[in-house]
Amino acid sequence: WVLFRANDSTWKKVSMLGGPAVTVFPAAGFARGASWGPDDTIIFSQGQLGMFRVPAAGGEPAALTTADAKQGEFGHWWPEILPGGHAVLFTVVKGLGVENMEIAVLDLATGERRTLLQGGSHARYAPSGHLIYGVDGTLMAVPFDLDRLQLTGNAVPVAEGVLTDGPTA
């Protein structure tokens, strides 16, 4: 299946083998990423509204996070469900510029949210045990313990001159 936001303000899925698009849930706010979990649920960002979870078969989305305006948060964007499905990475946006973004992780079992690093966005987990993320045109990698949901070393650049978008893209 492939998940996408349709022009009619709904999230839909379509089989990679072909067939009609099926509505999964209505969209609210602007979309900033989605991730399909091993338990057949989808975690998605609705911009300033935060992140939500919904069964892939469809249904009513349940809130996972809410951007905290009192803490200067503008949104929780670009979620990625980590292997095993017990946690999700995401970017906390606090304004324009990568210096106003944080990479955070949410433990789905406990609801505990933890900031992993300041000044990065679009984090993804690599099978090598690293988080890969963007900072002002540089792709960075930092060792990450998937079981403890913690960084275990220092970040290093792995590629420069990479197209990275700011929080409005």
Side-chain angles (χ1 to χ4, degrees), residues 116-133:
L116 298 173
L117 57 92
Q118 305 282 332
S121 70
H122 288 79
R124 296 293 178 253
Y125 179 77
S128 63
H130 292 81
L131 295 186
I132 309 297
Y133 62 98

Side-chain angles (χ1 to χ4, degrees), residues 11-28:
W11 284 87
K12 296 185 179 208
K13 66 180 180 178
V14 65
S15 172
M16 291 176 32
L17 301 175
V22 177
T23 298
V24 181
F25 53 91

